[in-house]
Short mmCIF file of all heavy atoms in Angstrom, two decimals:
data_model
loop_
_atom_site.label_atom_id
_atom_site.label_comp_id
_atom_site.label_asym_id
_atom_site.label_seq_id
_atom_site.Cartn_x
_atom_site.Cartn_y
_atom_site.Cartn_z
N ASN A 30 65.89 9.45 16.36
CA ASN A 30 66.17 8.48 17.41
C ASN A 30 66.96 9.16 18.50
O ASN A 30 67.32 10.30 18.56
CB ASN A 30 67.02 7.29 16.84
CG ASN A 30 68.33 7.71 16.21
OD1 ASN A 30 69.10 8.45 16.77
ND2 ASN A 30 68.52 7.29 14.95
N ALA A 31 67.12 8.32 19.69
CA ALA A 31 67.76 8.97 20.85
C ALA A 31 69.21 9.52 20.64
O ALA A 31 69.58 10.56 21.14
CB ALA A 31 67.65 7.82 21.96
N ILE A 32 70.01 8.77 19.80
CA ILE A 32 71.28 9.24 19.55
C ILE A 32 71.37 10.52 18.80
O ILE A 32 71.92 11.50 19.21
CB ILE A 32 72.07 8.21 18.67
CG1 ILE A 32 72.23 6.96 19.51
CG2 ILE A 32 73.33 8.75 18.18
CD1 ILE A 32 72.79 5.67 18.74
N TYR A 33 70.41 10.67 17.78
CA TYR A 33 70.41 11.96 17.07
C TYR A 33 69.84 13.05 17.90
O TYR A 33 70.39 14.13 17.93
CB TYR A 33 69.45 11.91 15.83
CG TYR A 33 69.15 13.19 15.15
CD1 TYR A 33 70.20 13.69 14.24
CD2 TYR A 33 68.13 13.90 15.50
CE1 TYR A 33 70.05 14.90 13.64
CE2 TYR A 33 68.02 15.18 14.84
CZ TYR A 33 68.88 15.69 13.98
OH TYR A 33 68.79 16.90 13.43
N LEU A 34 68.83 12.84 18.69
CA LEU A 34 68.23 13.90 19.61
C LEU A 34 69.21 14.31 20.64
O LEU A 34 69.44 15.59 20.73
CB LEU A 34 66.99 13.35 20.32
CG LEU A 34 65.87 13.00 19.35
CD1 LEU A 34 64.67 12.37 20.19
CD2 LEU A 34 65.34 14.18 18.65
N LYS A 35 69.97 13.41 21.22
CA LYS A 35 71.04 13.88 22.18
C LYS A 35 72.07 14.57 21.58
O LYS A 35 72.61 15.74 22.04
CB LYS A 35 71.59 12.61 22.83
CG LYS A 35 72.55 12.93 24.04
CD LYS A 35 72.90 11.72 24.70
CE LYS A 35 73.70 12.22 25.92
NZ LYS A 35 74.09 10.98 26.82
N LYS A 36 72.63 14.16 20.41
CA LYS A 36 73.74 14.75 19.64
C LYS A 36 73.35 16.22 19.19
O LYS A 36 74.15 17.13 19.26
CB LYS A 36 74.06 13.94 18.53
CG LYS A 36 75.40 14.39 17.85
CD LYS A 36 75.62 13.58 16.57
CE LYS A 36 76.85 12.64 16.78
NZ LYS A 36 77.12 11.88 15.46
N SER A 37 72.07 16.45 18.69
CA SER A 37 71.65 17.63 18.26
C SER A 37 71.14 18.62 19.25
O SER A 37 70.77 19.73 18.91
CB SER A 37 70.59 17.41 17.16
OG SER A 37 69.44 16.82 17.62
N GLY A 38 70.93 18.17 20.53
CA GLY A 38 70.27 18.98 21.44
C GLY A 38 68.92 19.21 21.35
O GLY A 38 68.35 20.29 21.57
N SER A 39 68.16 18.34 20.62
CA SER A 39 66.79 18.50 20.34
C SER A 39 65.97 17.39 20.99
O SER A 39 66.50 16.32 21.64
CB SER A 39 66.65 18.39 18.87
OG SER A 39 66.99 17.29 18.34
N GLY A 40 64.59 17.57 20.95
CA GLY A 40 63.78 16.59 21.53
C GLY A 40 62.34 16.80 21.05
O GLY A 40 62.12 17.53 20.14
N LEU A 41 61.47 16.01 21.51
CA LEU A 41 60.00 15.98 21.10
C LEU A 41 59.18 16.13 22.37
O LEU A 41 59.48 15.36 23.33
CB LEU A 41 59.75 14.83 20.24
CG LEU A 41 60.44 14.79 18.89
CD1 LEU A 41 60.67 13.39 18.50
CD2 LEU A 41 59.44 15.48 17.87
N VAL A 42 58.18 16.80 22.28
CA VAL A 42 57.18 16.91 23.40
C VAL A 42 55.83 16.89 22.87
O VAL A 42 55.58 17.27 21.70
CB VAL A 42 57.33 18.24 24.24
CG1 VAL A 42 58.67 18.31 25.02
CG2 VAL A 42 57.16 19.54 23.47
N ALA A 43 54.94 16.32 23.61
CA ALA A 43 53.54 16.18 23.21
C ALA A 43 52.84 17.49 23.51
O ALA A 43 52.89 18.02 24.69
CB ALA A 43 52.84 15.05 23.92
N LEU A 44 52.08 18.02 22.58
CA LEU A 44 51.27 19.20 22.75
C LEU A 44 49.82 18.86 23.13
O LEU A 44 49.10 19.54 23.85
CB LEU A 44 51.28 20.10 21.65
CG LEU A 44 52.67 20.72 21.23
CD1 LEU A 44 52.54 21.59 20.06
CD2 LEU A 44 53.22 21.56 22.41
N GLU A 45 49.39 17.77 22.38
CA GLU A 45 47.99 17.44 22.56
C GLU A 45 47.82 15.91 22.18
O GLU A 45 48.52 15.42 21.37
CB GLU A 45 47.06 18.24 21.51
CG GLU A 45 45.60 17.96 21.70
CD GLU A 45 44.92 18.81 20.61
OE1 GLU A 45 45.47 19.82 20.01
OE2 GLU A 45 43.67 18.58 20.45
N GLN A 46 46.90 15.26 22.97
CA GLN A 46 46.64 13.85 22.57
C GLN A 46 45.15 13.51 22.83
O GLN A 46 44.62 13.96 23.90
CB GLN A 46 47.49 12.92 23.43
CG GLN A 46 47.35 11.46 23.10
CD GLN A 46 48.31 10.57 23.77
OE1 GLN A 46 49.22 10.85 24.56
NE2 GLN A 46 48.32 9.34 23.35
N LYS A 47 44.57 12.82 21.91
CA LYS A 47 43.10 12.47 22.04
C LYS A 47 43.09 10.94 21.86
O LYS A 47 43.67 10.48 20.91
CB LYS A 47 42.33 13.11 21.00
CG LYS A 47 42.17 14.63 20.98
CD LYS A 47 41.34 15.10 19.83
CE LYS A 47 42.05 16.25 19.18
NZ LYS A 47 41.51 16.71 17.93
N ILE A 48 42.39 10.22 22.69
CA ILE A 48 42.35 8.73 22.66
C ILE A 48 40.85 8.35 22.64
O ILE A 48 40.12 8.89 23.37
CB ILE A 48 43.10 8.08 23.86
CG1 ILE A 48 44.49 8.41 23.92
CG2 ILE A 48 42.87 6.54 23.86
CD1 ILE A 48 45.18 7.92 25.16
N SER A 49 40.56 7.47 21.65
CA SER A 49 39.35 6.85 21.64
C SER A 49 39.49 5.33 21.95
O SER A 49 40.27 4.61 21.34
CB SER A 49 38.65 6.98 20.21
OG SER A 49 38.50 8.38 19.91
N TYR A 50 38.66 4.86 22.91
CA TYR A 50 38.65 3.52 23.34
C TYR A 50 37.54 2.81 22.57
O TYR A 50 36.37 3.15 22.76
CB TYR A 50 38.50 3.40 24.93
CG TYR A 50 39.57 4.13 25.53
CD1 TYR A 50 39.44 5.38 26.11
CD2 TYR A 50 40.89 3.65 25.75
CE1 TYR A 50 40.42 6.11 26.72
CE2 TYR A 50 41.92 4.26 26.30
CZ TYR A 50 41.67 5.53 26.85
OH TYR A 50 42.59 6.24 27.50
N LYS A 51 37.83 1.70 21.86
CA LYS A 51 36.82 0.93 21.12
C LYS A 51 36.41 -0.35 21.70
O LYS A 51 35.30 -0.81 21.80
CB LYS A 51 37.30 0.81 19.71
CG LYS A 51 37.74 2.10 19.02
CD LYS A 51 36.61 2.96 18.84
CE LYS A 51 37.03 4.11 18.01
NZ LYS A 51 36.12 5.16 17.79
N LYS A 52 37.51 -1.13 22.29
CA LYS A 52 37.25 -2.44 22.88
C LYS A 52 38.22 -2.64 24.00
O LYS A 52 39.25 -2.04 24.08
CB LYS A 52 37.38 -3.53 21.85
CG LYS A 52 36.38 -3.63 20.76
CD LYS A 52 36.53 -4.94 19.90
CE LYS A 52 35.33 -4.98 19.06
NZ LYS A 52 35.15 -6.32 18.43
N GLU A 53 37.88 -3.53 24.84
CA GLU A 53 38.76 -3.86 26.01
C GLU A 53 39.95 -4.69 25.45
O GLU A 53 39.70 -5.54 24.56
CB GLU A 53 38.04 -4.71 27.07
CG GLU A 53 37.31 -3.74 28.05
CD GLU A 53 36.71 -4.63 29.16
OE1 GLU A 53 36.16 -5.82 28.83
OE2 GLU A 53 36.89 -4.27 30.29
N VAL A 54 41.10 -4.52 26.19
CA VAL A 54 42.18 -5.47 26.03
C VAL A 54 42.25 -6.30 27.23
O VAL A 54 42.30 -5.76 28.38
CB VAL A 54 43.57 -4.82 25.70
CG1 VAL A 54 44.73 -5.76 25.76
CG2 VAL A 54 43.49 -3.95 24.49
N LEU A 55 42.06 -7.62 27.22
CA LEU A 55 42.18 -8.48 28.35
C LEU A 55 43.54 -9.08 28.59
O LEU A 55 44.46 -9.04 27.60
CB LEU A 55 41.15 -9.61 28.17
CG LEU A 55 39.63 -9.25 27.90
CD1 LEU A 55 38.86 -10.46 27.60
CD2 LEU A 55 39.15 -8.44 29.00
N ALA A 56 43.83 -9.49 29.79
CA ALA A 56 45.15 -9.93 30.14
C ALA A 56 45.40 -11.26 29.15
O ALA A 56 44.51 -12.02 28.92
CB ALA A 56 45.13 -10.51 31.53
#
Side-chain angles (χ1 to χ4, degrees):
N30 58 50
I32 294 168
Y33 174 81
L34 295 174
K35 186 174 183 175
K36 189 186 248 185
S37 67
S39 62
L41 292 147
V42 296
L44 296 179
E45 182 178 351
Q46 183 169 9
K47 298 177 228 168
I48 300 175
S49 297
Y50 302 99
K51 308 296 185 181
K52 290 192 173 194
E53 277 188 313
V54 175
L55 303 176

